[in-house]
Amino acid sequence: MSVIGIDFGNESCYVAAARSGGIETLANDYSLRATPSAVAFDGKKRIIGVAAKNQQVTNMKNTVGGFKRLLGRKFNDPHVQHELTSIPARVEARPDGSIGFKVNYLEEDQHFSPEQLTAMLFTKLKETSAAAMQTQVNDCVIACPIFFTNAERRALLDAAQIAGLNVLRLLNETTATALAYGFYKNDLFEEKPKNVIFIDFGHSALQVSACSFTKSKLKMLASTWDQIGGRDFDLAMAEYFSKEFQERYKINAKTNARATLRLLTEIEKLKKQMSANSTKLPLNIECFWEDIDVSSSMQRSQMEELCAPVLQRVEQTFKRLLAESKLQLDDIHSVEIVGGSSRIPSVKQLIEQVFNKPASTTLNQDEAVSRGAALQCA
Ligand code: ATP
Ligand code: MG
């Protein structure tokens, strides 16, 4: 029997396990390492992960995601209300004030809580891990954001319990990243402490921490965070394109959930291309609105202008970490980046500006958190 480490991301999950002396990230039933944090319902079927994401456009009402950030909260919590502005599913207050995602399942309208949806996702992760390792899986270590409250952590534990997982430990995502780094760099540490900054910039959050490593131990010096992530870049770009389509084609994309979803999907692809390319890139969507095809373009510098407020918050979070850690620039050994949004070039520039060190990619940017979680119990 094996222990798995789970990185439950707002956009996607990764699972890793200790095997034959090393740590391995496990592939799911689509031979992919990333499992989208999405659950869908179709008649009598429950569809989870890659398959759920793949059918989202044609089954919007019954496909749900974004529930990580709703765990352990009440419907009228301002944080929840803010999250709901970017969740296309039908979400309602339940009589006890809790959150219910409304879907049609088994031919009737049903409500599922964020805990139940997370449990469905965990059940899938448990099954695909067991299949990948050809052994039963019961024990796990789950990583969660450093800013998760006790209520959020408890809800996560409830979800794991519903999924039949025994949680050996909940680990902060920042700690998991540092552990993953320490495991591989162990031989380099001496008696004199080495200070490393870790930056995890994901889909919904930015978490930054400063750690000091010596031969025998890891010490967290400081951590800062902000509730910003890749989705904020997508939304700023969507605002721009929606305005343009309104003027050029007289289409108000915002009034149609499917058009909004298709636009955001294309924008995310465009944003990823921009990380590797600074020239003008096209955005084309066929039959965007009835039979109207839309086309436009954007280049990286334009995206940076549109996302200036987000980038400003990134910079402030970096500066806060530097101040709180009390480290001098010369004390910093390296700045290690993880999380999908840390691939954005202007984020790497801000790292150089604030920490006076280039962003280092020692860790696997997508898998580090799950690998650190798996290491915790290896
Ligand atoms: P969170 O940590 O906030 O719960 P997550 O762990 O699911 O979310 P990640 O998988 O680390 O998030 O990152 C996903 C985000 O990274 C998405 O917003 C995605 O668009 C963005 N992203 C991935 N690759 C790139 C890239 N090459 N350039 C820019 N952004 C990228
Ligand atoms: Mg993450």
Side-chain angles (χ1 to χ4, degrees):
M1 214 161 66
S2 281
V3 181
I4 54 170
I6 300 178
D7 170 11
F8 169 34
N10 197 48
E11 186 173 73
S12 42
C13 300
Y14 289 83
V15 181
R19 281 173 102 187
S20 53
I23 297 286
E24 200 177 307
T25 308
L26 306 175
N28 59 28
D29 45 350
Y30 282 72
S31 300
L32 298 170
R33 291 167 170 211
T35 300
S37 304
V39 177
F41 302 86
D42 185 8
K44 291 183 180 154
K45 274 190 309 195
R46 228 162 59 178
I47 309 163
I48 297 158
V50 180
K53 182 94 184 170
N54 286 348
Q55 54 83 72
Q56 188 177 13
V57 177
T58 52
N59 183 25
M60 282 209 53
K61 282 194 172 151
N62 296 310
T63 306
V64 303
F67 40 84
K68 172 182 180 181
R69 308 301 303 276
L70 303 181
L71 284 169
R73 290 178 184 266
K74 294 284 185 199
F75 184 82
N76 60 10
D77 180 332
H79 167 85
V80 170
Q81 290 305 312
H82 176 71
E83 285 292 316
L84 292 184
T85 57
S86 57
I87 294 180
R90 294 169 293 175
V91 186
E92 297 174 351
R94 305 297 293 141
D96 63 355
S98 65
I99 301 165
F101 281 78
K102 186 175 173 187
V103 293
N104 195 279
Y105 181 45
L106 303 175
E107 280 152 29
E108 58 179 327
D109 280 344
Q110 301 199 35
H111 288 89
F112 291 106
S113 67
E115 291 74 21
Q116 287 173 312
L117 295 164
T118 305
M120 292 174 199
L121 181 62
F122 283 175
T123 303
K124 178 77 180 177
L125 296 178
K126 184 180 164 184
E127 286 167 8
T128 51
S129 313
M133 295 196 291
Q134 300 190 327
T135 175
Q136 212 186 331
V137 171
N138 290 320
D139 295 338
C140 68
V141 174
I142 304 178
C144 72
I146 187 167
F147 50 80
F148 254 25
T149 61
N150 279 337
E152 287 170 302
R153 284 167 202 257
R154 233 178 295 125
L156 195 54
L157 290 173
D158 287 346
Q161 196 187 14
I162 301 171
L165 282 168
N166 176 38
V167 184
L168 300 177
R169 213 183 137 179
L170 278 187
L171 190 68
N172 287 333
E173 289 167 5
T174 44
T175 310
T177 307
L179 283 173
Y181 180 83
F183 182 70
Y184 291 104
K185 288 287 184 179
N186 202 17
D187 50 335
L188 296 179
F189 300 132
E190 304 141 15
E191 292 311 321
K192 191 173 169 285
K194 248 186 203 147
N195 304 306
V196 181
I197 310 281
F198 295 100
I199 293 171
D200 180 351
F201 198 15
H203 179 245
S204 63
L206 169 67
Q207 302 178 71
V208 191
S209 60
C211 298
S212 117
F213 288 90
T214 50
K215 218 173 200 158
S216 55
K217 71 171 193 263
L218 155 104
K219 189 176 157 207
M220 275 282 170
L221 301 175
S223 303
T224 56
W225 58 86
D226 197 354
Q227 313 273 357
I228 45 170
R231 62 180 180 178
D232 296 292
F233 289 81
D234 304 346
L235 290 175
M237 289 163 77
E239 192 66 36
Y240 170 89
F241 286 118
S242 300
K243 243 187 225 154
E244 188 186 342
F245 296 160
Q246 172 82 52
E247 280 162 23
R248 273 179 48 203
Y249 306 100
K250 308 284 172 256
I251 292 172
N252 185 357
K254 285 186 189 165
T255 57
N256 182 304
R258 183 176 301 191
T260 304
L261 177 67
R262 290 186 67 205
L263 179 60
L264 284 170
T265 305
E266 290 309 312
I267 283 174
E268 192 182 19
K269 286 186 205 156
L270 181 69
K271 178 187 71 175
K272 289 181 184 175
Q273 286 171 26
M274 276 177 183
S275 292
N277 205 319
S278 62
T279 56
K280 198 170 239 187
L281 299 167
L283 176 112
N284 301 308
I285 310 177
E286 269 178 46
C287 298
F288 182 61
W289 196 272
E290 288 161 6
D291 57 353
I292 304 174
D293 303 337
V294 295
S295 64
S296 183
S297 63
M298 192 181 278
Q299 70 186 65
R300 191 196 286 165
S301 55
Q302 251 176 307
M303 181 276 274
E304 290 168 352
E305 257 174 59
L306 292 170
C307 301
V310 187
L311 290 167
Q312 210 175 353
R313 283 170 69 175
V314 171
E315 184 179 0
Q316 284 163 356
T317 311
F318 290 172
K319 286 185 169 163
R320 243 185 5 256
L321 188 273
L322 197 55
E324 285 181 21
S325 70
K326 301 199 171 62
L327 289 173
Q328 300 300 312
L329 291 177
D330 288 344
D331 298 335
I332 299 169
H333 172 257
S334 68
V335 183
E336 303 292 337
I337 55 170
V338 297
S341 302
S342 67
R343 295 190 176 93
I344 296 173
S346 44
V347 172
K348 292 187 191 164
Q349 278 162 19
L350 284 173
I351 291 174
E352 286 221 48
Q353 260 175 45
V354 176
F355 298 107
N356 200 26
K357 291 260 165 5
S360 165
T361 52
T362 307
L363 293 163
N364 180 310
Q365 275 167 275
D366 299 310
E367 300 170 14
V369 172
S370 63
R371 297 171 81 90
L375 266 170
Q376 174 68 31
C377 286

